[in-house]
Amino acid sequence: MNQIPNRQAICEVLMEKAAQDKDIVVLCCDSRGSASMTYFAQVFPDRFVEVGIAEQNLVGISAGLAKCGKKPFAASPACFLTTRSYEQCKVDVAYSDTNVTLIGISGGVSYGALGMSHHSAQDIAAMSAIPNMRVYLPSDRHQTRKLIEALLQDEKPAYVRVGRNPVEDIYEESDCPFVMNRAAVLREGTDGVLIACGEMVKPTLEAAQILAARQISVTVLDMYCLKPLDQEAIIRAAQNARAVVTAEEHSPFGGLGSMVAQVLGANCPRPMVNMSLPDEPVISGTSREIFDYYGLNAAGIAGQMETLLRRS
């Protein structure tokens, strides 16, 4: 069982690259421990900036550093980074086209028992609505590593959301097919299409295995790139299927499901169900308890696809 959370994978990549690239800078909001950046701060103290609990300053300072030629990675809890500093994300980072990578840690319901104030179920919708802002939700540590390596090669704004806890590996270190802004096809089928992002990819893949045992063949897409969205992959998969189910750790509005529905409606209409968190304060508990309560698990996803196929 993997014990490395995606946030730690980000630090590992930055540690490796910072040894050769003096322009890499990490900034935190009293969150170096939560962001797994403590070791980076120890090894590169002159390239680590602690702003305290001040997300607006975090983003503004990051944008300023980027304008000076630095490559800032700004890490803060997703629930605060995408709400308290929304104007700075919109103006200082996206509108000003600065080379800032925003790392939303403990995304979704990772903070569990701390409740709605610490849940980030609206961040995909909020950040995707900002022109020139890219949005990514990697599904495991290996894909996270590939994504951060790719982001270090360009100079465009980006928001990356990762969870707090380790997630089971989807890929292998030696076999993690990655193409920037292209969904990964984890399984191909002919009856239905399952599309997921972030921590929902693993239970979605398990749901496909449950369906296969019931003689139902489905395609599984790991849509780690929410913006830009891989529309071609969605259309290609849906054209050969009868139904589509999406799964996300987000509000039902403005996230993966809404985006996929837009693409299908304009290009390839199919019966569809969007599995998400509800439009209400989410219950408190561990991530697993919350997922199970709302049916965001392998059994729930498989059941939704089976029901949808029966109806169609």
Side-chain angles (χ1 to χ4, degrees):
M1 179 73 71
N2 170 44
Q3 297 298 316
I4 299 176
N6 291 348
R7 56 195 170 101
Q8 183 176 332
I10 293 175
C11 182
E12 290 176 354
V13 174
L14 295 181
M15 290 288 298
E16 294 172 9
K17 302 301 181 181
Q20 290 82 39
D21 189 344
K22 62 181 178 57
D23 289 328
I24 293 175
V25 181
V26 171
L27 301 90
C28 287
C29 284
D30 194 30
S31 54
R32 70 183 72 184
S34 296
S36 295
M37 293 296 179
T38 300
Y39 190 44
F40 187 100
Q42 293 172 345
V43 177
F44 302 106
D46 57 335
R47 282 186 267 164
F48 178 83
V49 180
E50 174 59 73
V51 305
I53 303 176
E55 285 78 13
Q56 293 170 323
N57 291 345
L58 174 83
V59 178
I61 293 170
S62 296
L65 287 169
K67 284 298 185 182
C68 294
K70 300 302 179 181
K71 301 174 183 178
F73 285 75
S76 178
C79 56
F80 305 134
L81 178 62
T82 60
T83 53
R84 291 180 178 173
S85 60
Y86 193 66
E87 182 180 3
Q88 285 71 30
C89 293
K90 181 178 74 171
V91 179
D92 296 349
V93 176
Y95 178 72
S96 300
D97 196 26
T98 51
N99 181 20
V100 176
T101 300
L102 302 166
I103 309 293
I105 58 175
S106 298
V109 296
S110 292
Y111 277 125
L114 294 180
M116 185 180 180
S117 64
H118 283 62
H119 294 164
S120 58
Q122 303 80 28
D123 56 331
I124 297 174
M127 300 304 280
S128 294
I130 299 177
N132 200 37
M133 180 68 75
R134 298 171 297 173
V135 179
Y136 301 103
L137 273 73
S139 59
D140 77 352
R141 55 179 172 148
H142 302 305
Q143 189 181 65
T144 299
R145 169 177 283 274
K146 294 282 189 180
L147 173 61
I148 298 302
E149 290 174 346
L151 290 174
L152 280 166
Q153 299 304 310
D154 68 37
E155 298 182 351
K156 294 292 184 180
Y159 171 65
V160 180
R161 187 231 262 189
V162 293
R164 183 175 181 80
N165 303 311
V167 291
E168 293 185 52
D169 289 342
I170 305 294
Y171 306 96
E172 296 180 6
E173 183 175 6
S174 59
D175 184 21
C176 179
F178 180 88
V179 179
M180 193 63 170
N181 301 327
R182 290 289 181 267
V185 181
L186 301 181
R187 192 181 185 113
E188 295 197 31
T190 55
D191 294 318
V193 182
L194 297 175
I195 307 176
C197 58
E199 293 193 23
M200 285 294 101
V201 173
K202 183 62 176 181
T204 299
L205 193 56
E206 293 172 346
Q209 297 169 346
I210 293 173
L211 291 167
R214 299 172 185 172
Q215 306 305 308
I216 298 174
S217 171
V218 296
T219 294
V220 178
L221 297 182
D222 176 355
M223 193 63 70
Y224 82 91
C225 46
L226 274 293
K227 184 187 178 186
L229 186 71
D230 190 352
Q231 298 189 31
E232 293 181 6
I234 296 169
I235 296 169
R236 185 166 53 250
Q239 284 176 335
N240 299 316
R242 294 188 288 124
V244 176
V245 172
T246 59
E248 60 184 319
E249 189 181 356
H250 190 264
S251 159
F253 307 113
L256 173 66
S258 297
M259 296 177 185
V260 170
Q262 262 189 316
V263 174
L264 293 177
N267 299 278
C268 183
R270 291 289 186 276
M272 177 186 160
V273 168
N274 172 31
M275 300 187 67
S276 67
L277 297 171
D279 181 32
E280 61 188 39
V282 173
I283 66 166
S284 297
T286 66
S287 293
R288 177 57 62 86
E289 289 169 343
I290 295 172
F291 294 155
D292 288 346
Y293 183 85
Y294 293 113
L296 289 169
N297 51 30
I301 296 168
Q304 283 284 6
M305 175 57 77
E306 195 168 25
T307 299
L308 192 58
L309 285 170
R310 191 181 303 119
R311 290 174 181 171
S312 64

